[in-house]
Amino acid sequence: TFDDGPSDRTPEILDVLERYEVSATFFVVGQWVDKYPEEVKKLSDAGHDVMNHSATHPYMTSLSKEKMIAELNTCNDKIEAVTGKRPSLFRCPYGDYNNAVISAVDEIGMHTIQWDVDSLDWKDKATADSICKRVTSKVKNGSIVLFHNDADHTPAALPNILKCLKDEGYEFVFISDLI
C-alpha cells in the first residue's frame, strides 16, 4: 500500500509495479486529487485501487463525528469524480484512530485499514537497503505493508522487495481481496 498521493516519484513506482506485475492499493488525500487529478486517474487506469486517506490529512481523533464523515465523503467524492469508482477503504492519516473514528467510517459503509509492516520509508535516514531489509524481514502471510509514494528511496527499494517476496512465494493482492 502507498499513502498520501501522487508525487514526482509516482511514475517510477508505477513503472516498477508494472515491471513486476504487481497491483497495489493507493490511499490518496483529497487535496492531492484536486492538485493531480490526471495522476490519480493514471493509478486507477493502471489497475491499482485508489482509496481514501481523508480530504485534508487531519488527525482524525481530534475531529467531531460530523467532521470525520465530511472528510471521508469529500475525499470519496473527489476520487469517484476522477476514477469513476467510489472508495470502500479508509486509512487514517498518521495511523491516528480510535473507536470513534472506526464507528464513523463504519457508519458510511467503509472499512478502516491499518498496516502491520511499516517500511519507515519517510524517515530521513531511510535508504533503499534499509527499507528493503525492514520490509522483507517483517512480512508474513496476510501482511499489509505501508509505503509512501513521496518518500525519497521508495522507488529504489521496491524492485528488491518485490523480487525477494515473489521469490519467497508471496502473492500481492488488493486489500479489498484480503477482506
Side-chain angles (χ1 to χ4, degrees):
T1 67
F2 295 86
D3 277 12
D4 294 335
S7 76
D8 58 349
R9 292 175 189 85
T10 304
E12 284 181 85
I13 291 170
L14 288 175
D15 288 345
V16 172
L17 295 173
E18 182 179 5
R19 189 170 359 138
Y20 285 86
E21 299 177 342
V22 170
S23 295
T25 303
F26 286 81
F27 290 92
V28 300
V29 177
Q31 291 172 330
W32 284 105
V33 179
D34 290 339
K35 194 171 181 179
Y36 302 105
E38 65 288 340
E39 296 299 322
V40 173
K41 182 141 178 48
K42 282 182 189 176
L43 295 174
S44 180
D45 289 350
H48 303 288
D49 273 353
V50 180
M51 296 294 170
N52 189 320
H53 195 44
S54 77
T56 63
H57 209 272
Y59 285 93
M60 295 295 287
T61 58
S62 69
L63 303 179
S64 69
K65 178 180 172 184
E66 292 76 23
K67 287 187 179 181
M68 287 180 207
I69 290 173
E71 280 283 328
L72 296 164
N73 283 328
T74 299
C75 187
N76 280 346
D77 291 345
K78 291 176 182 192
I79 292 169
E80 186 174 26
V82 170
T83 68
K85 300 172 192 165
R86 191 148 186 95
S88 59
L89 307 177
F90 172 67
R91 177 171 284 158
C92 298
Y94 314 104
D96 177 50
Y97 73 99
N98 60 18
N99 287 341
V101 174
I102 293 170
S103 177
V105 174
D106 287 350
E107 186 172 311
I108 64 168
M110 297 180 74
H111 296 283
T112 306
I113 302 298
Q114 290 295 94
W115 59 87
D116 69 308
V117 178
D118 189 344
S119 69
L120 299 179
D121 57 352
W122 55 271
K123 290 206 169 213
D124 288 338
K125 294 184 181 189
T127 65
D129 189 49
S130 69
I131 294 166
C132 182
K133 285 179 182 171
R134 179 170 182 73
V135 169
T136 58
S137 70
K138 295 185 179 292
V139 164
K140 59 187 182 300
N141 284 336
S143 280
I144 298 173
V145 182
L146 170 63
F147 294 103
H148 296 83
N149 57 324
D150 60 349
D152 288 339
H153 303 289
T154 300
L158 279 176
N160 288 337
I161 292 168
L162 298 177
K163 181 182 181 327
C164 177
L165 295 177
K166 279 190 164 206
D167 288 350
E168 290 180 19
Y170 286 100
E171 291 181 55
F172 298 85
V173 300
F174 295 119
I175 292 175
S176 53
D177 293 334
L178 284 177
I179 293 173

